[in-house]
PDB file of all heavy atoms in Angstrom:
ATOM      1  N   PRO A  46      84.511  73.652 112.383  1.00 81.00           N
ATOM      2  CA  PRO A  46      85.789  73.214 111.849  1.00 81.00           C
ATOM      3  C   PRO A  46      85.901  73.412 110.318  1.00 81.00           C
ATOM      4  O   PRO A  46      86.942  73.798 109.783  1.00 81.00           O
ATOM      5  CB  PRO A  46      85.918  71.699 112.193  1.00 81.00           C
ATOM      6  CG  PRO A  46      84.516  71.354 112.732  1.00 81.00           C
ATOM      7  CD  PRO A  46      83.842  72.591 113.020  1.00 81.00           C
ATOM      8  N   ASN A  47      84.826  73.161 109.562  1.00 85.00           N
ATOM      9  CA  ASN A  47      84.867  73.349 108.159  1.00 85.00           C
ATOM     10  C   ASN A  47      83.709  74.253 107.698  1.00 85.00           C
ATOM     11  O   ASN A  47      82.558  73.771 107.571  1.00 85.00           O
ATOM     12  CB  ASN A  47      84.828  72.039 107.399  1.00 85.00           C
ATOM     13  CG  ASN A  47      85.016  72.203 105.912  1.00 85.00           C
ATOM     14  OD1 ASN A  47      85.059  73.244 105.350  1.00 85.00           O
ATOM     15  ND2 ASN A  47      85.296  71.031 105.237  1.00 85.00           N
ATOM     16  N   CYS A  48      83.899  75.488 107.595  1.00 85.00           N
ATOM     17  CA  CYS A  48      82.887  76.525 107.337  1.00 85.00           C
ATOM     18  C   CYS A  48      82.105  76.194 106.023  1.00 85.00           C
ATOM     19  O   CYS A  48      80.880  76.223 106.031  1.00 85.00           O
ATOM     20  CB  CYS A  48      83.535  77.921 107.339  1.00 85.00           C
ATOM     21  SG  CYS A  48      82.327  79.207 107.273  1.00 85.00           S
ATOM     22  N   MET A  49      82.822  75.887 104.993  1.00 86.00           N
ATOM     23  CA  MET A  49      82.171  75.624 103.727  1.00 86.00           C
ATOM     24  C   MET A  49      81.271  74.416 103.752  1.00 86.00           C
ATOM     25  O   MET A  49      80.124  74.413 103.391  1.00 86.00           O
ATOM     26  CB  MET A  49      83.220  75.410 102.574  1.00 86.00           C
ATOM     27  CG  MET A  49      82.511  75.177 101.217  1.00 86.00           C
ATOM     28  SD  MET A  49      83.598  75.425  99.880  1.00 86.00           S
ATOM     29  CE  MET A  49      83.577  77.243  99.792  1.00 86.00           C
ATOM     30  N   ALA A  50      81.720  73.390 104.443  1.00 86.00           N
ATOM     31  CA  ALA A  50      80.891  72.109 104.575  1.00 86.00           C
ATOM     32  C   ALA A  50      79.591  72.404 105.437  1.00 86.00           C
ATOM     33  O   ALA A  50      78.532  71.922 105.123  1.00 86.00           O
ATOM     34  CB  ALA A  50      81.672  70.953 105.169  1.00 86.00           C
ATOM     35  N   ALA A  51      79.852  73.201 106.465  1.00 86.00           N
ATOM     36  CA  ALA A  51      78.666  73.555 107.347  1.00 86.00           C
ATOM     37  C   ALA A  51      77.638  74.352 106.559  1.00 86.00           C
ATOM     38  O   ALA A  51      76.411  74.160 106.681  1.00 86.00           O
ATOM     39  CB  ALA A  51      79.150  74.355 108.530  1.00 86.00           C
ATOM     40  N   CYS A  52      78.048  75.225 105.724  1.00 87.00           N
ATOM     41  CA  CYS A  52      77.126  76.089 104.945  1.00 87.00           C
ATOM     42  C   CYS A  52      76.425  75.236 103.876  1.00 87.00           C
ATOM     43  O   CYS A  52      75.282  75.487 103.584  1.00 87.00           O
ATOM     44  CB  CYS A  52      77.897  77.274 104.305  1.00 87.00           C
ATOM     45  SG  CYS A  52      78.304  78.500 105.599  1.00 87.00           S
ATOM     46  N   ILE A  53      77.142  74.344 103.253  1.00 84.00           N
ATOM     47  CA  ILE A  53      76.522  73.504 102.208  1.00 84.00           C
ATOM     48  C   ILE A  53      75.521  72.617 102.861  1.00 84.00           C
ATOM     49  O   ILE A  53      74.479  72.431 102.230  1.00 84.00           O
ATOM     50  CB  ILE A  53      77.640  72.647 101.435  1.00 84.00           C
ATOM     51  CG1 ILE A  53      78.478  73.637 100.585  1.00 84.00           C
ATOM     52  CG2 ILE A  53      77.057  71.608 100.637  1.00 84.00           C
ATOM     53  CD1 ILE A  53      79.657  73.010  99.946  1.00 84.00           C
ATOM     54  N   ASN A  54      75.763  72.111 104.060  1.00 85.00           N
ATOM     55  CA  ASN A  54      74.806  71.282 104.762  1.00 85.00           C
ATOM     56  C   ASN A  54      73.549  72.054 105.041  1.00 85.00           C
ATOM     57  O   ASN A  54      72.451  71.533 105.106  1.00 85.00           O
ATOM     58  CB  ASN A  54      75.361  70.739 106.024  1.00 85.00           C
ATOM     59  CG  ASN A  54      76.371  69.558 105.772  1.00 85.00           C
ATOM     60  OD1 ASN A  54      76.320  69.065 104.619  1.00 85.00           O
ATOM     61  ND2 ASN A  54      77.189  69.341 106.722  1.00 85.00           N
ATOM     62  N   LYS A  55      73.639  73.458 105.199  1.00 83.00           N
ATOM     63  CA  LYS A  55      72.475  74.290 105.439  1.00 83.00           C
ATOM     64  C   LYS A  55      71.755  74.703 104.155  1.00 83.00           C
ATOM     65  O   LYS A  55      70.766  75.412 104.256  1.00 83.00           O
ATOM     66  CB  LYS A  55      72.879  75.466 106.316  1.00 83.00           C
ATOM     67  CG  LYS A  55      73.269  75.199 107.738  1.00 83.00           C
ATOM     68  CD  LYS A  55      73.547  76.540 108.422  1.00 83.00           C
ATOM     69  CE  LYS A  55      73.397  76.370 109.849  1.00 83.00           C
ATOM     70  NZ  LYS A  55      72.030  76.368 110.320  1.00 83.00           N
ATOM     71  N   GLY A  56      72.269  74.374 102.996  1.00 85.00           N
ATOM     72  CA  GLY A  56      71.665  74.662 101.794  1.00 85.00           C
ATOM     73  C   GLY A  56      72.304  75.869 101.043  1.00 85.00           C
ATOM     74  O   GLY A  56      71.719  76.316 100.058  1.00 85.00           O
ATOM     75  N   TYR A  57      73.272  76.415 101.560  1.00 85.00           N
ATOM     76  CA  TYR A  57      73.990  77.573 100.921  1.00 85.00           C
ATOM     77  C   TYR A  57      75.051  77.046  99.974  1.00 85.00           C
ATOM     78  O   TYR A  57      75.429  75.923 100.089  1.00 85.00           O
ATOM     79  CB  TYR A  57      74.673  78.498 101.987  1.00 85.00           C
ATOM     80  CG  TYR A  57      73.670  79.210 102.790  1.00 85.00           C
ATOM     81  CD1 TYR A  57      73.150  78.697 103.964  1.00 85.00           C
ATOM     82  CD2 TYR A  57      73.092  80.454 102.410  1.00 85.00           C
ATOM     83  CE1 TYR A  57      72.202  79.341 104.816  1.00 85.00           C
ATOM     84  CE2 TYR A  57      72.206  81.205 103.127  1.00 85.00           C
ATOM     85  CZ  TYR A  57      71.761  80.596 104.402  1.00 85.00           C
ATOM     86  OH  TYR A  57      70.846  81.247 105.111  1.00 85.00           O
ATOM     87  N   GLN A  58      75.514  77.996  99.076  1.00 83.00           N
ATOM     88  CA  GLN A  58      76.505  77.482  98.105  1.00 83.00           C
ATOM     89  C   GLN A  58      77.891  77.796  98.542  1.00 83.00           C
ATOM     90  O   GLN A  58      78.919  77.243  98.234  1.00 83.00           O
ATOM     91  CB  GLN A  58      76.281  78.177  96.765  1.00 83.00           C
ATOM     92  CG  GLN A  58      74.931  77.729  96.082  1.00 83.00           C
ATOM     93  CD  GLN A  58      74.727  78.432  94.775  1.00 83.00           C
ATOM     94  OE1 GLN A  58      75.492  79.242  94.379  1.00 83.00           O
ATOM     95  NE2 GLN A  58      73.662  78.021  94.114  1.00 83.00           N
ATOM     96  N   VAL A  59      78.088  78.958  99.330  1.00 83.00           N
ATOM     97  CA  VAL A  59      79.460  79.373  99.750  1.00 83.00           C
ATOM     98  C   VAL A  59      79.472  79.620 101.202  1.00 83.00           C
ATOM     99  O   VAL A  59      78.500  80.094 101.785  1.00 83.00           O
ATOM    100  CB  VAL A  59      79.742  80.646  98.960  1.00 83.00           C
ATOM    101  CG1 VAL A  59      81.108  81.177  99.417  1.00 83.00           C
ATOM    102  CG2 VAL A  59      79.734  80.485  97.465  1.00 83.00           C
ATOM    103  N   GLY A  60      80.552  79.272 101.815  1.00 84.00           N
ATOM    104  CA  GLY A  60      80.764  79.546 103.282  1.00 84.00           C
ATOM    105  C   GLY A  60      82.171  79.990 103.465  1.00 84.00           C
ATOM    106  O   GLY A  60      83.124  79.370 102.914  1.00 84.00           O
ATOM    107  N   GLN A  61      82.406  81.021 104.225  1.00 81.00           N
ATOM    108  CA  GLN A  61      83.732  81.487 104.539  1.00 81.00           C
ATOM    109  C   GLN A  61      83.782  82.215 105.781  1.00 81.00           C
ATOM    110  O   GLN A  61      82.797  82.754 106.270  1.00 81.00           O
ATOM    111  CB  GLN A  61      84.257  82.444 103.381  1.00 81.00           C
ATOM    112  CG  GLN A  61      83.462  83.684 103.185  1.00 81.00           C
ATOM    113  CD  GLN A  61      83.856  84.518 101.951  1.00 81.00           C
ATOM    114  OE1 GLN A  61      84.239  83.933 100.967  1.00 81.00           O
ATOM    115  NE2 GLN A  61      83.687  85.746 102.092  1.00 81.00           N
ATOM    116  N   CYS A  62      85.052  82.280 106.359  1.00 79.00           N
ATOM    117  CA  CYS A  62      85.266  83.104 107.563  1.00 79.00           C
ATOM    118  C   CYS A  62      85.410  84.544 107.190  1.00 79.00           C
ATOM    119  O   CYS A  62      86.158  84.931 106.236  1.00 79.00           O
ATOM    120  CB  CYS A  62      86.513  82.626 108.262  1.00 79.00           C
ATOM    121  SG  CYS A  62      86.310  80.999 108.978  1.00 79.00           S
ATOM    122  N   VAL A  63      84.676  85.367 107.809  1.00 78.00           N
ATOM    123  CA  VAL A  63      84.738  86.795 107.566  1.00 78.00           C
ATOM    124  C   VAL A  63      84.973  87.597 108.839  1.00 78.00           C
ATOM    125  O   VAL A  63      84.625  87.163 109.894  1.00 78.00           O
ATOM    126  CB  VAL A  63      83.364  87.316 106.890  1.00 78.00           C
ATOM    127  CG1 VAL A  63      83.271  86.688 105.485  1.00 78.00           C
ATOM    128  CG2 VAL A  63      82.217  87.056 107.664  1.00 78.00           C
TER     129      VAL A  63
END
Side-chain angles (χ1 to χ4, degrees):
N47 189 344
C48 188
M49 182 163 281
C52 290
I53 289 173
N54 287 340
K55 287 185 158 282
Y57 290 91
Q58 294 181 355
V59 178
Q61 63 186 31
C62 290
V63 294

